């Protein structure tokens, strides 16, 4: 049965909501200024497992059985690799937005599509259009201008964008569904994350767990809940995104993905008063120009596909 216009609308709404949640994420982490990034990451991984299991059960789905996991060891190994790649990207992101570097996070996700395009050419045999080629060139010019002006690479942005693109490439070869693969990724890292939290607590180095049993009257429950909440806060957009993929086109999702870094940019400049100098303005402008060219190039093809779908729906309905 072809996609109905209602299903497409639902998919677009789910995708927009996912990127809106991602875009608002710095507001949550602003409640944890200067947080211990290692501990925060460990909490996010540990509590991702029960949260994902709850979501899977509520949707009436099931995780792959042990036999299915053994039959597809390659996908399990790729889930492990994906988990490590995502850890690096999320670690950079969490550090940035808890240490007054939301602009770096915005830049990271603006350059992510450029990394994704380059990886598609290198590993998937994709062919670049003129607009995509120009976008990649402009992106490198934007980064190069920053390097020449500041004398150093924008490491945070490159780690975020680069490793998230590698994560997306890795997911292309995993044969489990989206929810299952995300759950497996968290499960593979959970023993390490949980062991790290236990070690922090046992050596009295934990920020969130310090005094949990010995000094319960003065224990900061709000801080603990905020640390635990990083799991659903980072996974909810991913779940809405996974639901959207089956309901709308990848082209539409690609166009809407700029909601997230655009919101990060606006929050950084207008709300968090981060310094936005001429160097950043030129670099962002070069990258934005490249992304705009790609978006404008994709619009005619997107409109044609939508017209074809409408025609299919008309034919389908007339045949009833």
């Amino acid at each position: 049965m072809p996609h109905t216009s209602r299903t497409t609308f639902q998919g677009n709404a789910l995708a927009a909501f996912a990127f809106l949640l991602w875009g608002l994420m710095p507001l949550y982490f602003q409640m944890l200024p200067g947080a211990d990034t290692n501990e925060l990451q460990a909490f996010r991984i540990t509590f991702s497992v029960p949260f994902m299991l709850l979501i899977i059960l509520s949707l009436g789905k099931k995780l792959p059985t042990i036999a299915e996991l053994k039959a597809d060891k390659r996908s399990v190994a790729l889930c492990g690799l994906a988990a490590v790649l995502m850890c690096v990207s999320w670690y950079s992101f969490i550090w940035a937005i808890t240490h007054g570097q939301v602009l770096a996070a915005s830049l990271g996700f603006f350059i992510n599509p450029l990394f994704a395009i380059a990886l598609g050419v290198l590993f998937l045999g994709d062919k670049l259009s003129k607009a995509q080629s120009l976008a990649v060139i402009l992106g490198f010019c934007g980064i190069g201008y920053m390097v020449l002006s500041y004398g150093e690479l924008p490491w945070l942005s490159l780690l975020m964008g680069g490793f998230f693109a590698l994560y997306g490439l890795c997911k292309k070869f995993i044969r489990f569904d989206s929810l299952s693969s995300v759950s497996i990724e968290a499960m593979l890292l959970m023993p390490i994350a949980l062991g790290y939290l236990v070690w922090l607590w046992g050596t009295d180095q934990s920020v969130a767990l310090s005094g949990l049993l010995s000094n319960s009257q003065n224990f900061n429950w709000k801080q603990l809940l905020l640390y635990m909440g990083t799991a659903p806060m980072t996974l909810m957009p991913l779940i809405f995104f996974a639901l959207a993929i089956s309901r709308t086109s990848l082209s539409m999702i690609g166009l809407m993905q700029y909601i997230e870094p655009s919101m990060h940019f606006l929050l950084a400049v207008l709300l968090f008063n981060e310094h936005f100098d001429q160097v950043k303005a030129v670099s962002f402008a070069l990258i934005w120009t490249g992304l705009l060219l790609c978006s404008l190039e994709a619009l005619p093809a997107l409109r044609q596909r939508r017209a074809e779908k409408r025609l299919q729906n008309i034919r389908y309905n007339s045949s009833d």
Side-chain angles (χ1 to χ4, degrees), residues 82 87 98 139 149 224:
C87 263
T98 54
S149 301
L224 174 61

Side-chain angles (χ1 to χ4, degrees), residues 74 78 124 126 166-175 250:
R74 181 173 179 268
L78 286 171
L124 301 177
D126 294 348
L166 287 169
Y167 174 77
L169 176 66
C170 188
K171 298 283 276 188
K172 287 277 189 183
F173 301 99
I174 296 174
R175 288 188 282 266
L250 288 176

Side-chain angles (χ1 to χ4, degrees), residues 2 8 10 15 26 41 73 75 114 121 125-126 132 134 138 144-145 155 157 190-191 199-200 235 243 250 261 312 315:
T8 302
Q10 289 174 344
Q41 181 83 305
K73 294 178 181 178
S75 289
L114 304 179
V121 171
D126 294 348
Q132 288 174 329
L134 185 56
L138 288 171
Y145 183 71
W155 287 111
S157 303
M190 183 182 175
W199 177 78
L200 284 178
L235 287 172
L243 294 173
L250 288 176
Q312 287 177 356
R315 290 174 177 171

Side-chain angles (χ1 to χ4, degrees), residues 57-80:
L57 288 174
S58 65
L59 292 175
K61 298 183 179 295
K62 294 181 179 180
L63 287 171
T65 63
I66 299 297
E68 289 171 333
L69 293 175
K70 288 182 177 179
D72 196 354
K73 294 178 181 178
R74 181 173 179 268
S75 289
V76 175
L78 286 171
C79 281

Side-chain angles (χ1 to χ4, degrees), residues 63 66 181 221 259 281 287:
L63 287 171
I66 299 297
S181 62
W221 287 100
I259 293 173
I287 293 167

Side-chain angles (χ1 to χ4, degrees), residues 271-301:
L271 188 62
F272 304 143
N273 298 316
E274 289 191 26
H275 183 55
F276 187 65
D277 57 20
Q278 182 182 352
V279 174
K280 289 188 177 74
V282 172
S283 298
F284 270 82
L286 287 168
I287 293 167
W288 285 336
T289 301
L291 296 177
L292 178 62
L293 290 173
C294 286
S295 299
L296 291 175
E297 183 187 56
L299 281 175

Side-chain angles (χ1 to χ4, degrees), residues 93-132:
F93 176 72
I94 291 172
W95 193 94
I97 60 179
T98 54
H99 290 77
Q101 297 288 325
V102 180
L103 269 178
S106 175
L107 178 62
F109 288 112
F110 270 124
I111 63 179
N112 166 254
L114 304 179
F115 277 111
I117 290 171
L119 289 174
V121 171
L122 291 173
F123 296 99
L124 301 177
D126 294 348
K127 301 295 182 182
L128 291 186
S129 64
K130 291 182 180 179
Q132 288 174 329

